[in-house]
Amino acid sequence: MNLIKRLIKRIFTEISIYLPINPQKKLDDVIVSLTSFTPRLNKLHIVIKSLLRQTYQPAKIILYLADDVNINSIPKKLLKLTKKNKFEIKSGYENLKPHKKYFYVMQEYSNFIVITVDDDLIYDKNLIKDLYLCHKKNPNSVIARRVNLITKNEQGKLNKYSDWIWEYKEKTSPSFDLLATGCGGVLYPSKIFSNEIFNKELIYKYCLSTDDIWLKFMELKNNIPVTFTNSKVIHPLSIRNSQNNALMNENTTGKNRNDESIENLQKILNVQLVNYL
């Protein structure tokens, strides 16, 4: 029965991005930003279409591509969507991997609220609405539709990332022990971070593939909590076969890059996560 429900949900979600929608509100102060790389460009138009049919419409949707992406390799289905005016492709950037989805937009559009999303998920029509309405109630917080609870063991030491409580739903008030995970969509108020967030030297050295972890430490350094939206949708539907190249496979399993990044950043930044639990 569960398999049938999942199949129906997938079919409905994939069809829904082609259906018309009447926007409820236009947000002139919000930009949606994402990044991608060549193996995923062929299906990226599906993600963009889901973002173009939001009930709350952003001022702009920007795709940031690194300088190693051949412009001529961008599929026509994706290029065609730039004619919607709201969607823009910006290329030729230094390849900071997943960090590209926030790193450049926060500098180029510093007065805007930034919502980051992933490039392998189909977002429901209320993504921006959920994040924005929660932001209005919690203007000094990072807002996320999917969070993990950071935990410690009986000895009071920080647990491994894999032992944190994933997709935690019990807290809806601003908290320092929540990690905003990018796949659900995350909202960052304008100018909420210090310029330390753009420290490329530390990013390259300690957390090039673990942007969620880097952002968490930057939040704590700036005394910024995370708020869970308590949305119905926690984890959007993934595009089929897109997870083959997912960074999560490296960050949370065999190579444990999240744990490595956490250990290194605690020492370098003098921020102990366990002190916030």
Side-chain angles (χ1 to χ4, degrees), residues 5-235:
K5 286 183 178 180
R6 288 199 298 269
L7 181 60
I8 292 174
K9 179 183 177 182
R10 175 171 287 280
I11 293 172
F12 177 79
T13 303
E14 293 190 1
I15 290 176
S16 70
I17 64 172
Y18 297 97
L19 300 176
I21 189 171
N22 293 320
Q24 299 174 6
K25 192 171 185 177
K26 182 179 179 182
L27 304 174
D28 294 327
D29 58 344
V30 175
I31 288 181
V32 176
S33 177
L34 71 162
T35 188
S36 192
F37 55 110
T38 300
R40 286 189 177 168
L41 293 180
N42 192 46
K43 293 184 178 180
L44 188 55
H45 66 282
I46 299 173
V47 181
I48 302 303
K49 283 183 177 180
S50 75
L51 297 172
L52 287 169
R53 65 179 305 278
Q54 293 287 306
T55 53
Y56 275 35
Q57 293 278 307
K60 192 183 289 289
I61 301 166
I62 303 177
L63 169 64
Y64 285 90
L65 298 177
D67 50 16
D68 60 355
V69 176
N70 186 343
I71 300 300
N72 296 324
S73 70
I74 299 177
K76 292 182 179 179
K77 287 184 178 180
L78 189 58
L79 286 173
K80 186 178 179 180
L81 295 178
T82 60
K83 297 179 181 179
K84 302 286 185 181
N85 296 325
K86 197 175 295 292
F87 173 54
E88 181 179 351
I89 299 174
K90 304 188 77 168
S91 59
Y93 289 82
E94 185 177 350
N95 193 1
L96 292 173
K97 293 195 174 182
H99 296 267
K100 295 194 303 296
K101 64 186 175 186
Y102 73 85
F103 192 92
Y104 300 111
V105 69
M106 286 184 180
Q107 296 177 78
E108 295 173 359
Y109 300 88
S110 60
N111 292 323
F112 285 76
I113 295 167
V114 171
I115 292 176
T116 62
V117 296
D118 282 359
D119 64 341
D120 56 348
L121 300 166
I122 304 173
Y123 290 92
D124 68 279
K125 64 182 181 181
N126 290 318
L127 165 75
I128 296 175
K129 179 180 180 179
D130 289 348
L131 292 169
Y132 189 77
L133 292 181
C134 188
H135 160 69
K136 298 303 287 185
K137 295 178 181 178
N138 305 278
N140 299 312
S141 175
V142 166
I143 311 296
R145 289 213 305 178
R146 181 181 184 272
V147 298
N148 296 343
L149 179 69
I150 304 171
T151 62
K152 58 185 177 181
N153 59 28
E154 294 179 355
Q155 289 72 43
K157 294 184 178 181
L158 186 71
N159 279 327
K160 294 189 300 182
Y161 184 92
S162 59
D163 291 329
W164 295 0
I165 302 177
W166 293 18
E167 299 190 353
Y168 191 67
K169 305 174 185 178
E170 305 304 317
K171 284 188 178 182
T172 56
S173 58
S175 302
F176 290 103
D177 57 358
L178 296 178
L179 172 79
T181 57
C183 62
V186 183
L187 181 150
Y188 301 96
S190 63
K191 299 180 180 179
I192 198 169
F193 293 105
S194 67
N195 286 333
E196 189 175 10
I197 193 174
F198 306 121
N199 190 326
K200 288 192 292 186
E201 181 180 353
L202 293 184
I203 290 173
Y204 272 117
K205 191 170 183 178
Y206 299 113
C207 53
L208 186 58
S209 65
T210 53
D211 56 317
D212 287 348
I213 300 300
W214 171 252
L215 287 163
K216 180 60 187 176
F217 275 89
M218 291 298 102
E219 290 156 16
L220 295 178
K221 288 276 286 185
N222 289 272
N223 199 37
I224 303 167
V226 170
T227 303
F228 170 52
T229 60
N230 198 25
S231 303
K232 292 181 180 179
V233 179
I234 302 297
H235 197 298

